[in-house]
Each structure stands twice: as C-alpha cells, then as structure tokens.
Amino acid sequence: MSKEIFPPQVDETLKELETHGSFELPVETYTDNCVIFHSLYNHWHKEMEIIRIDEGSGLARLNRETLRLQKGDILMVNSGVIHGIKSDLKNILYYRSIVFDLSFLTSPAGDLCQEQLISRLMENKAEFTHLVSPDDPNYNRISFIFSEIHDCHREKKPFYYVKLKSLFYGFFYEMLVGNYIVTPDAEQNRNLASVKIVLDYINEHYREDLTVKELAELSNYSEYYFMKLFKQYTGKTVASYLNDFRLEKAKALLLHTDSSITDIALDVGFNNTSYFIKKFQQANQLSPHKYRKNLS
C-alpha cells in the first residue's frame, strides 16, 4: 500500500536528515504518492536516488533541469543534486524509489569498478543523466533491474544483501552501456554551491521579509546574475519560490495543528491573510479551510 508523502526534514543546508537504511546496509526503498503534498520540497542528500513513476504525471526539478514525468519514467538523482517533484493536480503521481549510499558499492583502491565508476560518482566527477524513458533502447532492462532491486530489498530473503549488491552493479552496467553517464561542469558545481547557500537561508528565514538584494549578497553574485541563476536551479523567480515554499509549510500546519488561518498565514511569512488565502486557492484548487477539512 502506498503511504502519504510528507516533506522531508532538512538541516541548515537543505540536506535531508532522514537516515536511509543502516550503517551496515545504507539502502532504503519507498513506495510513495503525492496525494496530500503535491510538491516535494527542494532538498538534497549525499545518497543517490532512483525513482520510477508507476502512475500519474508531473514535473521534476534537478538542479537547472526541468523534466516532464510520465508513467514508466525512471528518474536518476545523483548525489548532492537539489531536487523536487511536483504532481499534476488531476493526475497524482505514484512512484517507487531506491535511496542508497554509494559506499555500499565501494571496493579497494585499484579495483577497476571503483576507479572507473564508483569513485568518480562519489567525487562528482561523473554523473548519470537524469531521465530514462520507456522509449529508450535500454529501458526494459533498466526498469526490470530497478524492480528486482526494490523487491529484493523489500522481501529480505536469506542472503539478500549479496543479491542486492550484484543487482546494483547490473543496473549500473545497463546505464553505462546505454550511454547514460556524463561529466559534470565545474562551473555548474560552483553555482550549485551558491544556490544551496541561498536555499539554506530561505529555509531558516522564510517567515521574515526577504529581498532579492539580501539573497544575492549571500550568493556573492550581482542581483541580475543571481536572479538568473536562481531561476535556472529552481525553475522559479525568488518571489514565486518564496510563496510556494511558504504555502507548503502552511499545509503541514493546516493538517497537524489547530491554529487559525490567520495565525498560520503569519507564521509562514504572509503578512496579509487575504493574499495568503488567494495564493493557496490558486495553488491547490481549495481554500485553506476546505483543504484542512477534506484532508485532515
């Protein structure tokens, strides 16, 4: 059964705080949906993540790239990538995911797999392209191994951890022969670090009045370049991102507290309750009151 998705808890750098798997086996599998929270907060984690869309449609944002998601698509989230998912309101996303630390696959120095692939992925010297579509030549094999990994980890049959490691290497092999690997741009990595600093600040100060000038100074770029860069990585203007971020925070308060609509609006950074209600209605096709009533 699918479980409802809740916004990930993040630290001061928007790094996700949830532990995926254990120290001995840093792998976790999930079956999620976007029934309540149509948007998954922009966040990042050092683990890689593989997501397969089982039903529905929506959009994914990975660093500067926006991808249209459809049933069957496989999304590759490389280590450290800022990412988020937004479901179409009338075609809710249902998906499975595998989150794993690459340390699970490490080998001694000098090992060919370690030197040519695992180390390069861990050091951000190589990354997988973000989308594998059903019409791609290697799709069937890649999708099959994804399901094998997911089932293997869920079922946990005797000695499953041996099979699990072999399946991951099989998955990576199919990605390599399908030419789904690229070399990241050094400048892109620097820009990404600057954007993470700003997203960190927004996460901590979203209740306050924030200005483009203030955020641009944090990035060490001019206002013009910062606004361009911010939109490249988030797909939104600063004002739109702030509004959407605050609205997502408001959803949790509507569902899990008895606070009034006015108090919630103020608590998430809206100084005008009427404006908050208007923006919430536009984003969710429901007023805050009806959202709370229907989904609590």
Side-chain angles (χ1 to χ4, degrees):
M1 178 181 292
S2 296
K3 65 182 180 180
E4 295 169 349
I5 187 166
F6 288 86
Q9 296 298 310
V10 298
D11 69 6
E12 67 280 359
T13 65
L14 288 194
K15 180 182 177 182
E16 188 175 348
L17 294 175
E18 182 176 354
T19 300
H20 301 284
S22 63
F23 176 78
E24 296 83 6
L25 188 68
V27 180
E28 193 55 83
T29 50
Y30 301 94
T31 302
D32 292 320
N33 66 62
C34 293
V35 171
I36 291 182
F37 291 93
H38 295 292
S39 295
L40 180 61
Y41 283 26
N42 280 351
H43 67 290
W44 67 276
H45 37 72
K46 69 182 182 67
E47 297 91 351
M48 290 190 69
E49 183 170 9
I50 311 169
I51 300 169
R52 187 188 186 280
I53 307 302
D54 291 328
E55 295 290 344
S57 60
L59 294 173
R61 186 82 193 178
L62 293 92
N63 288 341
R64 295 185 298 180
E65 189 174 8
T66 300
L67 300 168
R68 187 70 187 159
L69 299 177
Q70 303 289 346
K71 180 178 179 179
D73 285 342
I74 295 174
L75 193 66
M76 299 295 301
V77 182
N78 295 286
S79 174
V81 167
I82 297 173
H83 60 285
I85 293 176
K86 185 176 180 65
S87 179
D88 291 342
L89 289 174
K90 296 183 179 180
N91 200 11
I92 301 299
L93 283 170
Y94 289 80
Y95 54 92
R96 289 172 290 160
S97 63
I98 303 165
V99 183
F100 60 99
D101 195 310
L102 283 162
S103 63
F104 171 58
L105 302 173
T106 53
S107 302
D111 177 87
L112 197 57
C113 292
Q114 180 69 31
E115 299 297 331
Q116 295 298 316
L117 179 62
I118 305 302
S119 289
R120 287 171 56 78
L121 289 170
M122 294 180 74
E123 296 166 8
N124 294 318
K125 294 178 180 177
E127 63 182 25
F128 290 116
T129 54
H130 291 152
L131 191 66
V132 183
S133 300
D135 56 355
D136 292 352
N138 283 53
Y139 173 82
N140 288 338
R141 185 65 185 153
I142 291 170
S143 181
F144 175 78
I145 300 178
F146 171 91
S147 294
E148 287 279 290
I149 293 172
H150 203 276
D151 292 345
C152 177
H153 184 268
R154 287 289 193 182
E155 294 167 2
K156 292 181 171 57
K157 293 179 179 179
F159 311 112
Y160 77 98
Y161 47 87
V162 177
K163 181 179 180 181
L164 199 61
K165 183 170 285 193
S166 69
L167 286 169
F168 271 111
Y169 274 114
F171 185 92
F172 282 2
Y173 172 78
E174 295 298 334
M175 292 293 289
L176 289 169
V177 298
N179 293 316
Y180 291 106
I181 193 164
V182 295
T183 301
D185 182 83
E187 182 181 357
Q188 178 178 322
N189 285 338
R190 288 193 297 271
N191 289 339
L192 175 59
S194 293
V195 173
K196 282 181 178 178
I197 290 171
V198 173
L199 293 179
D200 155 32
Y201 191 81
I202 290 173
N203 187 58
E204 291 294 314
H205 300 274
Y206 66 91
R207 297 179 179 89
E208 305 168 14
D209 290 329
L210 300 177
T211 65
V212 171
K213 182 177 184 296
E214 179 182 2
L215 298 176
E217 287 174 353
L218 290 171
S219 73
N220 290 318
Y221 290 121
S222 68
E223 287 187 39
Y224 172 79
Y225 189 75
F226 164 71
M227 288 189 293
K228 179 181 177 181
L229 196 64
F230 189 88
K231 190 165 186 178
Q232 285 179 342
Y233 279 87
T234 67
K236 302 174 183 178
T237 65
V238 172
S240 293
Y241 183 89
L242 276 170
N243 272 343
D244 290 347
F245 188 87
R246 289 163 173 162
L247 290 173
E248 290 299 314
K249 291 289 187 181
K251 288 181 182 179
L253 296 176
L254 286 166
L255 295 180
H256 303 297
T257 74
D258 295 324
S259 299
S260 69
I261 303 300
T262 296
D263 286 345
I264 288 174
L266 292 172
D267 190 50
V268 300
F270 286 94
N271 295 323
N272 185 302
T273 305
S274 296
Y275 182 71
F276 165 71
I277 294 172
K278 175 184 176 182
K279 299 304 290 186
F280 193 98
Q281 175 88 37
Q282 289 175 349
N284 300 284
Q285 313 303 310
L286 287 172
S287 68
H289 176 74
K290 288 184 178 179
Y291 183 88
R292 169 181 270 171
K293 182 179 179 181
N294 291 355
L295 297 175
S296 290

